[in-house]
Amino acid sequence: MFLHLLYQSYQTQLIGMELERVKSDQLGAQYELLKQQVNPHFLFNSLNTLKSMVEIGDPHSVDFILKLSDFYRFTLENRKQDVIPLSEELSILHAYMFLLKARFEDGIDLSDEIDITSVPIFIPPFTLQLLVENCIKHNVVSFEHPLKIRLYIKRDKLIIENKLQLKKTAQISTAMGLENINQRYLHLAQNQIEVEKSQHLFTVKLPLIYEYHNHRR
């Protein structure tokens, strides 16, 4: 009976270990799907903008091509990373903003108030680009009503906020972009993002990640 109990205990441990392995594999697969959802969706619009610039002989066409190339180089280099330094994420964001400015001109404005210090800060790649894309999706972007976006750090939070000027025929929000970001933070830092909406502002607060070791898959 004693040997039988030992055997049963051993079998239970094996089953438990196998369940943990399967659970870990499932979490890894789910996270890979999350990262794949981050692929930029604006290539079609960018190419249309470039076509228009070339047709009117816009002298900034070459700069636009170079920035578009930079943005997709960033995409290829960082798509397998769990997190990247905040300084690199800001480079991606500014390349993205250059493309948006070519399309919307003075209809969009980003105020980057982040001072990169000696303390390393990490962030899931393309998080800020997704959040800016979310701002454009739901808000009016025009010369008459410029979309103003502010980026800053306060109390261990990376904060991005925009003036709320919702489109009259706004698309139905699925919140998939925000949920994607939230799930990545839960996976990487066991911490959730905060989303606040007031009468005039929409704010997203991201927990700061100070240390992380990437695991390439």
Side-chain angles (χ1 to χ4, degrees), residues 1-14:
M1 183 178 294
F2 177 69
L3 290 175
H4 179 71
L5 289 173
L6 280 179
Y7 178 75
Q8 289 296 324
S9 176
Y10 174 69
Q11 288 292 99
T12 301
Q13 288 181 3
L14 286 180

Side-chain angles (χ1 to χ4, degrees), residues 20-105:
E20 284 298 316
R21 185 188 67 78
V22 171
K23 182 179 178 182
S24 177
D25 289 346
Q26 287 178 337
L27 286 173
Q30 290 171 3
Y31 186 66
E32 285 302 309
L33 286 174
L34 286 173
K35 290 201 292 186
Q36 289 172 22
Q37 292 173 14
V38 182
N39 292 330
H41 305 293
F42 69 104
L43 177 59
F44 181 76
N45 286 332
S46 296
L47 292 177
N48 273 341
T49 300
L50 178 59
K51 176 176 177 291
S52 299
M53 293 173 73
V54 170
E55 286 176 346
I56 64 174
D58 192 317
H60 300 295
S61 298
V62 173
D63 290 335
F64 186 90
I65 293 171
L66 292 174
K67 287 295 182 181
L68 186 60
S69 174
D70 283 344
F71 185 83
Y72 279 96
R73 176 173 57 82
F74 290 140
T75 303
L76 292 172
E77 289 176 351
N78 295 305
R79 64 190 175 92
K80 290 188 177 181
Q81 297 281 2
D82 293 336
V83 298
I84 59 175
L86 179 57
S87 57
E88 290 185 22
E89 176 74 358
L90 289 173
S91 295
I92 295 172
L93 178 63
H94 287 297
Y96 178 62
M97 286 303 302
F98 182 92
L99 302 176
L100 291 178
K101 292 289 281 186
R103 179 181 169 195
F104 296 112
E105 299 183 357

